[in-house]
Amino acid sequence: MKKLLMGGTIVDGSGNTGYRGNVLLEDGKIAALGNIQPSGDMEVLDVSGLVVAPGFIDTHSHSDLDVLLHPQVIPKVMQGITTEILGQDGISMAPLPRQYISSWRKNLAGLDGDSDEISWEYGDTDHYLNLVEKARPGINECYLVPHGNIRMEAMGLDNRLPTEDERKKMCDITRREMEAGAWGLSTGLIYMPCAYGDSDELVAMSKVVAEYDGCFVVHQRSEADAILDSMEEVIRIGRESGVRIHWSHFKVCGKKNWDKVEKVMELLEKAKAEGIRVSFDQYPYIAGSTMLGVILPPWVHNGGTNKVLERLKDPSLREKMVYDIKHGIPGWDNFVDFAGLDRIFVASVKNHKNEDAVGLNLIELGRLRGKDAYEAAFDLLYEEENAVGMVDFYGQEEHVQRFMKLPEMNCCTDGLLCPGKPHPRLYGAFPRILGKYVREDKVLTLEEAVYKMTKKPAMTFGLKGRGEIKENYCADLTVFDPKTIRDTGTFEDPVQFPDGIAYVIVNGVTTIDRGRHTERRAGKVLRKNRQEA
Ligand SMILES: [Zn+2]
C-alpha cells in the first residue's frame, strides 16, 4: 500500500532549508514529493508540525553480536537510526578462524558482549552477513572488515610484524571480504592485535580497499599524548594508498593534551590541501566508552585474551602492570593517566556477583572491595574474563562543539550494547544533537545537523540511494518534533529512550509509530559491491 506523509516540513538531508510538502512512499521507495493529495489507496500519516528527515545513519556502531540476538536493534531505531555500520575498531565478528573462537570471544566481550546462543562457526564475512540477514534486522546493516580479524587469520595473535607472505595474505583476505560486500577496512590501533601492526601493512591493505572505493576507518593509535604522530600516520596511509580516510570518534583525550587541538585542526587542513580525502565521526559527549581491558599495558595483551587472564593471576606481573600504568610507556594511550582512576567507571559486567561494581569508579570499586583500586580492577577483569565495559571522562565541551561544526564531521553513537549502565550515547546521541546542540545551544542549524546524520555519511561511505529525501531513493525516514526532541538518558540512568521521535520508517515499513515500536523489521544487509544502480 502507498503511504502519504502529510503536512510536515521536509528537511531533505542536502543541507538546504526545509520546506512544507508531502512525501509519497511506494514499494519501499520515495515515489513523489510535493503537493500530493491523498487518495483511497494510500495510508495517510498526519505529520503536521513535524520534521520529515531521511533516516539517520550511524557510522560507528557495535551491534555486531547483539543484532543476531535482538534484531530489532531497539536503542538505535528508537533514536531515528535506519542504517548502521558494523565491524568497527579493527575487532569484530568476521573473519574468525575456528581455532581462535574461544580467545576472540573474550577479546570482544567488553565491547560487543558475548553469547552462547549464536553459532560462532561462520568463518568469514559472507557467512557472518548471511547470519545477520537470517536474523532479519530491524534496520539496515553495513559491515567493515576489521584489521584485527584479518591479522588473526593471516598470522595469529602474536606481537610481531608480518612476513612478506603474511602481508600478502592479509591483502588477499581484505580482497575476499570486500568481494563479500564490506564497505571498507577498520582498525583500532589501541586494540590487540591491531596495535601490533605497522603503517606498511595498513597501506598494503588500504590499497586493496581503494580499488573498491572503500573507506579506511580508523581508531587511531593515540587520541592522547601522541595524537599528532598518530594523525600523521593515518594521513600517510591515505597518501600512500589513495584510500579515503575516516577517523572514528574524533577527540583529544586528557586535560594535558587539550592544547594540541590547534595542531590537530592544522593537520586536518594540511591533509585536505594535499588532496587526501578525510572525514570523521563524533558522538556528542565529553566521555567515551570501551572495554576496561584497555587500561592494561600493551604487553599484557600479547597472544590474546586467554593469555591476559593468565597474566592477571600472577602477582609479580600485576606489580609490573601497576608500574607501567603509573609511569607510562611512550606511544601507549594510558587511560588511567589521561582520565584518572576516579573518572573511569564500570559500565557493564556479565556475572551477577559483580553487578555491585556497575556505576562505580575505580577508586570506589577499590573501597567496596576493601582493596587498592588497581587490585580491584584487575580482580574484576579476571573474574569477568575481560567482559567489563567502562565509561571514561576525558574531554572538553569546547572541543565537542568545535569538531561538530567542521564540514568533515558526521554523527555517530559508538553505542555499546552491553548490560548494566551503558554510555548514554547508545540511546541518545542523535536526539542530543538535535535537542541540545541545535535547539538549545545553536551550534548547528537544523538543516546542518540533519545533513551530518544523513547525506554526509552516505557520501563518505558511498551508500547509494539513501541519506536524502529524493524521488526513487529508499524510503528510510525519521519524523521528529523539532520543538521537543531530546535525549533523556544520563550517565547515572542511561537506558532511556529519547523524546520527540514520532515515526521511523525503514525501507517503507513503519517501524516506530507515534513513538512506539511496531515489532516490524524491514532492515536489509547492504553489501557495497552489490548496490542497486
Ligand atoms: Zn573506537
Side-chain angles (χ1 to χ4, degrees):
M1 196 179 183
K2 295 180 194 170
K3 202 175 298 210
L4 186 66
L5 284 76
M6 268 192 81
T9 299
I10 299 173
V11 176
D12 66 7
S14 67
N16 295 337
T17 307
Y19 60 97
R20 285 290 296 275
N22 302 340
V23 183
L24 181 69
L25 310 182
E26 191 177 2
D27 295 331
K29 293 276 165 76
I30 295 166
L33 296 169
N35 185 24
I36 305 143
Q37 291 310 306
S39 63
D41 61 343
M42 295 176 188
E43 176 197 354
V44 177
L45 306 182
D46 175 10
V47 295
S48 45
L50 305 178
V51 165
V52 181
F56 304 153
I57 299 171
D58 182 3
T59 59
H60 194 98
S61 173
H62 287 284
S63 319
D64 312 49
L65 169 61
D66 206 69
V67 67
L68 299 174
L69 301 169
H70 308 105
Q72 291 171 325
V73 205
I74 289 275
K76 299 300 183 72
V77 72
M78 290 292 281
Q79 63 175 299
I81 292 163
T82 57
T83 300
E84 62 178 353
I85 302 182
L86 310 171
Q88 302 288 341
D89 291 311
I91 54 171
S92 176
M93 300 290 279
L96 178 52
R98 203 166 281 193
Q99 69 269 34
Y100 296 112
I101 292 174
S102 152
S103 192
W104 196 252
R105 279 176 62 173
K106 294 186 189 102
N107 189 27
L108 285 185
L111 205 58
D112 291 352
D114 188 20
S115 173
D116 289 323
E117 283 168 47
I118 68 154
S119 158
W120 287 86
E121 304 220 338
Y122 45 78
D124 60 14
T125 292
D126 186 49
H127 284 91
Y128 166 67
L129 290 179
N130 288 341
L131 281 183
V132 177
E133 219 149 48
K134 243 170 73 188
R136 293 198 302 114
I139 60 178
N140 303 308
E141 303 288 353
C142 303
Y143 189 72
L144 302 166
V145 59
H147 171 208
N149 293 66
I150 296 173
R151 206 173 203 274
M152 171 168 59
E153 181 178 334
M155 58 180 287
L157 295 167
D158 296 340
N159 181 0
R160 62 176 176 86
L161 293 177
T163 63
E164 199 50 51
D165 274 359
E166 285 164 344
R167 189 183 307 147
K168 194 182 162 293
K169 204 165 163 201
M170 287 163 75
C171 292
D172 292 344
I173 297 168
T174 305
R175 186 177 300 284
R176 183 190 74 204
E177 306 302 50
M178 291 303 292
E179 285 291 327
W183 293 78
L185 172 73
S186 80
T187 190
L189 293 169
I190 70 162
Y191 299 115
M192 311 306 139
C194 308
Y196 307 141
D198 64 357
S199 316
D200 291 343
E201 73 187 55
L202 288 165
V203 168
M205 286 187 281
S206 293
K207 281 183 182 164
V208 177
V209 173
E211 284 177 41
Y212 293 82
D213 198 26
C215 235
F216 173 53
V217 178
V218 53
H219 176 154
Q220 59 188 341
R221 220 175 275 276
S222 172
E223 297 175 319
D225 301 9
I227 187 170
L228 300 175
D229 292 341
S230 291
M231 286 185 71
E232 299 269 19
E233 178 186 24
V234 173
I235 291 165
R236 192 197 125 198
I237 293 166
R239 182 186 301 128
E240 292 183 10
S241 68
V243 81
R244 178 191 281 276
I245 297 291
H246 185 75
W247 273 278
S248 295
H249 42 61
F250 206 59
K251 55 177 174 279
V252 180
C253 290
K255 199 170 194 168
K256 64 175 178 176
N257 296 310
W258 288 349
D259 62 358
K260 297 190 169 79
V261 70
E262 300 304 334
K263 285 267 184 312
V264 164
M265 302 289 251
E266 274 172 35
L267 281 175
L268 270 182
E269 284 308 312
K270 226 177 77 186
K272 270 171 28 189
E274 241 192 86
I276 299 168
R277 294 170 297 170
V278 292
S279 59
F280 62 86
D281 52 39
Q282 179 198 41
Y283 49 80
Y285 301 83
I286 56 163
S289 181
T290 182
M291 49 174 119
L292 182 64
V294 299
I295 69 168
L296 302 173
W299 58 266
V300 182
H301 298 269
N302 285 354
T305 308
N306 287 338
K307 290 272 167 43
V308 174
L309 300 177
E310 276 173 36
R311 291 183 185 114
L312 280 169
K313 274 195 301 197
D314 184 330
S316 66
L317 291 179
R318 279 195 182 202
E319 243 174 73
K320 185 167 156 41
M321 292 174 203
V322 175
Y323 181 89
D324 283 345
I325 294 171
K326 285 185 177 164
H327 295 85
I329 297 175
W332 167 51
D333 267 9
N334 184 346
F335 280 67
V336 171
D337 176 55
F338 71 63
L341 291 168
D342 60 336
R343 305 275 281 165
I344 294 178
F345 293 80
V346 177
S348 64
V349 294
K350 68 173 179 185
N351 292 309
H352 179 65
K353 80 171 245 220
N354 283 317
E355 273 168 15
D356 58 351
V358 171
L360 302 184
N361 68 42
L362 297 184
I363 299 281
E364 292 165 338
L365 177 68
R367 229 175 268 146
L368 179 73
R369 297 283 187 258
K371 291 174 188 161
D372 158 81
Y374 290 104
E375 288 297 322
F378 297 164
D379 284 349
L380 187 65
L381 282 167
Y382 180 73
E383 290 169 17
E384 294 294 318
E385 296 186 301
N386 198 43
V388 186
M390 72 166 187
V391 166
D392 58 299
F393 286 79
Y394 57 72
Q396 196 189 33
E397 181 61 28
E398 191 196 310
H399 292 175
V400 172
Q401 299 193 13
R402 201 160 165 191
F403 293 148
M404 188 178 287
K405 282 195 266 195
L406 292 178
E408 293 77 27
M409 176 270 182
N410 71 259
C411 184
C412 73
T413 68
D414 197 1
L416 308 188
L417 289 93
C418 294
K421 288 185 193 286
H423 190 303
R425 65 195 185 186
L426 172 60
Y427 287 84
F430 285 73
R432 182 173 169 83
I433 289 193
L434 295 167
K436 176 175 166 53
Y437 292 101
V438 171
R439 188 178 57 242
E440 289 168 19
D441 298 346
K442 301 186 170 48
V443 177
L444 300 174
T445 67
L446 180 63
E447 285 82 358
E448 280 170 342
V450 169
Y451 166 75
K452 285 170 177 290
M453 298 173 174
T454 58
K455 182 176 180 179
K456 170 72 175 64
M459 285 193 315
T460 297
F461 285 87
L463 267 166
K464 290 185 192 150
R466 296 183 198 268
E468 279 184 272
I469 297 183
K470 262 185 171 176
E471 276 177 29
N472 288 322
Y473 267 50
C474 297
D476 291 343
L477 297 173
T478 293
V479 179
F480 62 88
D481 185 341
K483 295 184 292 300
T484 62
I485 190 165
R486 65 181 191 113
D487 61 309
T488 61
T490 60
F491 285 95
E492 293 75 31
D493 189 12
V495 183
Q496 299 292 338
F497 295 123
D499 286 340
I501 305 265
Y503 295 94
V504 180
I505 295 171
V506 182
N507 293 310
V509 173
T510 307
T511 309
I512 304 299
D513 183 353
R514 281 157 292 180
R516 290 233 290 279
H517 201 285
T518 62
E519 305 295 323
R520 299 182 72 187
R521 307 202 301 269
K524 294 178 180 172
V525 170
L526 306 178
R527 301 186 192 228
K528 180 169 175 64
N529 62 348
R530 294 178 208 167
Q531 295 195 88
E532 296 158 32

